[in-house]
Amino acid sequence: MYLIDKNENRITQIPTQTFSDLGFKEREHLQEWFANNPGALGEELLIIQKEFSGFNDTNERLDLLALDKDGNIVIIENKLDDTGRDVTWQALKYASYCSSLTKEQIRDIYQTYLNKQGDNQQAVDSLVDFFDNAEYEELSLNKGHTQRIILIAGNFRKEVTSTVLWLMNYNLRIQCFRVTPFKLGDQLFLDVEQIVPTKGTEDYVIKMADKNREDITTQEEMKNRHYFRLEFWNALFKVMNAKSEMFRNVSPSKSNWIVTGAGVSGVGLTFVISHSFARTELYMARPSKEDNKLIFDELKKHESEIEAAFGDKLEWERLDDKKASRIKFELKGVDVFNKDDWPKMVDFMVDGMIRMEKAFKEHLARINKKLKSKELKESIAD
């Protein structure tokens, strides 16, 4: 890492440090950094346990246990300044131990973690949020031989990287991240670099893993749910498209949600269905959490005006612990898998969506204009 001197038009190298020299420890520091900011590893991960020791007939503990967006278990092993010789064998053992974890066991492990953290949230609710409002009953976690391994260390020995590269030929998904601390005056910096597989070859490895996942046979129950939802969306669109053009260019799908644009990039008007509710919502899912909260707060300023235009109360969910935010209108006690509920659901959702689009349209147009001129943040700060 280099410091740029604009006045002299020169660069000066910032000396690298070791974690040991800086007084950092593996569990107290390195582990906590990634437990609290797993996004530093380049993807969205949900940490479900630290120092996990729930293995039969062994007292071994893995550092961090996580889930990725595909429902795969991710074993994260941290080492400070050197991996040692046996880190790959250690991680493979943990992956084998975790391979038999069921969805319910994963839920219980995560709930224990939330309780220890003093978080009152329920594991099921948090899992549903992480997997973008998918039905919990349909979540497929820890499928087959899909366990992943992430190794983090200040330095990787050749015997470690050689073994990892060999294992990757057999479709094991292993990543190595080199972490390097830097010190400039009183400031400390951390560089996180994925060295195996390199970014140029990562797509190939992921495609191979994806192919394996596609080869896993879909359960018959899942197929039935997909067909139910596809049929429901066709029924809803038949009514919706006769009254509005909002979803004319959107195709029915097997998912439990369908979205159309709301006039602001990353903000959508969304239909959501499940076995216990039906709803329409304005969902703010821009890449930046700050943007989503700013948009929500700007709309919240006009809550009374919006609800008057909508003609009903809305549920305002800022979701401070999540990246996204939502404003929803929900009908509880209905089940998309019960066709007797469909007429009630369709009427509620179509009516709610048309009114929601009208109530938010003017406000979103104003917000979009401010976003483009970079005025929104200043406006809300005032």
Side-chain angles (χ1 to χ4, degrees):
M1 184 179 292
Y2 290 82
L3 177 68
I4 300 173
D5 187 330
K6 293 177 65 177
N7 295 327
E8 298 294 331
N9 196 26
R10 296 290 187 272
I11 58 174
T12 303
Q13 187 172 15
I14 301 175
T16 60
Q17 304 285 319
T18 67
F19 292 108
S20 300
D21 289 343
L22 293 172
F24 290 125
K25 297 182 179 180
E26 183 179 308
R27 290 183 180 176
E28 292 180 29
H29 300 104
L30 191 63
Q31 180 173 290
E32 288 299 310
W33 298 341
F34 289 103
N36 287 284
N37 189 4
L41 298 172
E43 62 179 298
E44 287 190 66
L45 295 171
L46 180 68
I47 302 298
I48 62 171
Q49 192 54 271
K50 292 189 297 186
E51 296 294 322
F52 180 61
S53 60
F55 308 128
N56 292 329
D57 304 321
T58 175
N59 293 321
E60 294 176 286
R61 295 170 177 265
L62 64 83
D63 293 337
L64 294 172
L65 191 63
L67 290 170
D68 68 14
K69 279 291 191 177
D70 291 318
N72 300 320
I73 282 284
V74 184
I75 290 88
I76 303 174
E77 275 301 298
N78 306 298
K79 301 296 178 184
L80 273 179
D81 296 315
D82 187 85
T83 57
R85 297 187 183 90
D86 302 323
V87 65
T88 43
W89 168 238
Q90 183 181 23
L92 286 170
K93 283 193 298 180
Y94 294 155
S96 72
Y97 299 157
C98 291
S99 65
S100 62
L101 290 176
T102 66
K103 182 168 75 173
E104 305 314 315
Q105 287 174 320
I106 291 170
R107 178 202 62 197
D108 292 343
I109 289 167
Y110 186 33
Q111 188 64 64
T112 300
Y113 175 70
L114 292 174
N115 295 343
K116 284 183 180 178
Q117 298 296 110
D119 193 326
N120 294 325
Q121 191 167 8
Q122 293 300 305
V124 169
D125 295 337
S126 185
L127 287 166
V128 167
D129 282 342
F130 180 73
F131 291 105
D132 302 320
N133 294 313
E135 297 276 354
Y136 176 74
E137 291 78 5
E138 294 182 19
L139 289 182
S140 184
L141 305 181
N142 201 25
K143 301 168 289 188
H145 301 292
T146 59
Q147 296 75 38
R148 295 175 50 195
I149 295 171
I150 292 178
L151 304 177
I152 302 171
N155 178 61
F156 283 83
R157 298 192 182 192
K158 281 188 177 181
E159 56 261 50
V160 172
T161 53
S162 175
T163 303
V164 168
L165 290 168
W166 180 77
L167 288 169
M168 286 166 54
N169 291 327
Y170 294 89
N171 296 331
L172 272 73
R173 293 189 60 185
I174 308 180
Q175 294 163 280
C176 297
F177 285 85
R178 181 168 57 208
V179 286
T180 308
F182 294 86
K183 184 176 182 180
L184 181 63
D186 293 331
Q187 289 186 300
L188 297 176
F189 304 89
L190 183 70
D191 180 53
V192 182
E193 179 187 9
Q194 181 176 327
I195 60 170
V196 178
T198 59
K199 286 295 183 181
T201 61
E202 188 173 14
D203 287 345
Y204 170 78
V205 176
I206 292 174
K207 285 178 182 178
M208 290 301 297
D210 288 343
K211 182 179 183 301
N212 289 339
R213 286 196 296 272
E214 289 172 0
D215 290 340
I216 298 173
T217 304
T218 305
Q219 296 179 357
E220 197 62 35
E221 181 184 352
M222 185 75 77
K223 291 181 181 179
N224 291 337
R225 286 174 175 263
H226 286 171
Y227 295 143
F228 254 93
R229 286 198 293 252
L230 186 60
E231 189 177 348
F232 173 82
W233 290 129
N234 277 302
L236 181 139
F237 277 5
K238 185 176 180 179
V239 177
M240 183 71 192
N241 292 340
K243 296 184 177 184
S244 169
E245 296 186 356
M246 293 171 59
F247 285 81
R248 290 270 173 90
N249 295 322
V250 180
S251 299
S253 77
K254 297 175 181 178
S255 176
N256 72 315
W257 59 273
I258 286 184
V259 64
T260 191
V264 178
S265 176
V267 179
L269 286 160
T270 309
F271 285 126
V272 186
I273 51 176
S274 82
H275 65 87
S276 59
F277 66 81
R279 72 173 177 239
T280 62
E281 64 183 25
L282 185 75
Y283 196 69
M284 289 142 271
R286 290 167 68 89
S288 165
K289 178 180 180 179
E290 181 184 21
D291 280 357
N292 297 325
K293 305 313 172 189
L294 289 175
I295 293 170
F296 179 93
D297 291 342
E298 177 71 5
L299 291 170
K300 183 72 171 172
K301 288 181 180 179
H302 303 274
E303 179 179 358
S304 298
E305 181 184 343
I306 290 170
E307 290 185 343
F310 181 69
D312 220 323
K313 290 290 293 180
L314 295 166
E315 296 182 59
W316 298 72
E317 297 181 342
R318 195 173 191 270
L319 305 177
D320 291 332
D321 57 336
K322 307 296 179 186
K323 181 185 288 187
S325 294
R326 73 163 68 93
I327 304 166
K328 69 184 184 182
F329 186 55
E330 186 169 277
L331 175 66
K332 294 180 172 63
V334 290
D335 184 356
V336 69
F337 304 112
N338 178 4
K339 288 190 175 183
D340 291 340
D341 286 344
W342 285 13
K344 185 193 305 183
M345 294 172 65
V346 168
D347 289 345
F348 177 87
M349 295 172 73
V350 169
D351 174 65
M353 181 60 73
I354 291 173
R355 289 192 286 138
M356 186 172 279
E357 190 270 340
K358 290 179 180 178
F360 283 102
K361 187 173 183 179
E362 180 181 332
H363 299 279
L364 289 172
R366 185 184 69 254
I367 287 172
N368 193 48
K369 185 177 180 180
K370 287 185 176 182
L371 283 170
K372 289 183 177 179
S373 61
K374 299 181 179 179
E375 294 177 0
L376 182 60
K377 188 171 183 179
E378 293 79 1
S379 171
I380 293 175
D382 294 338

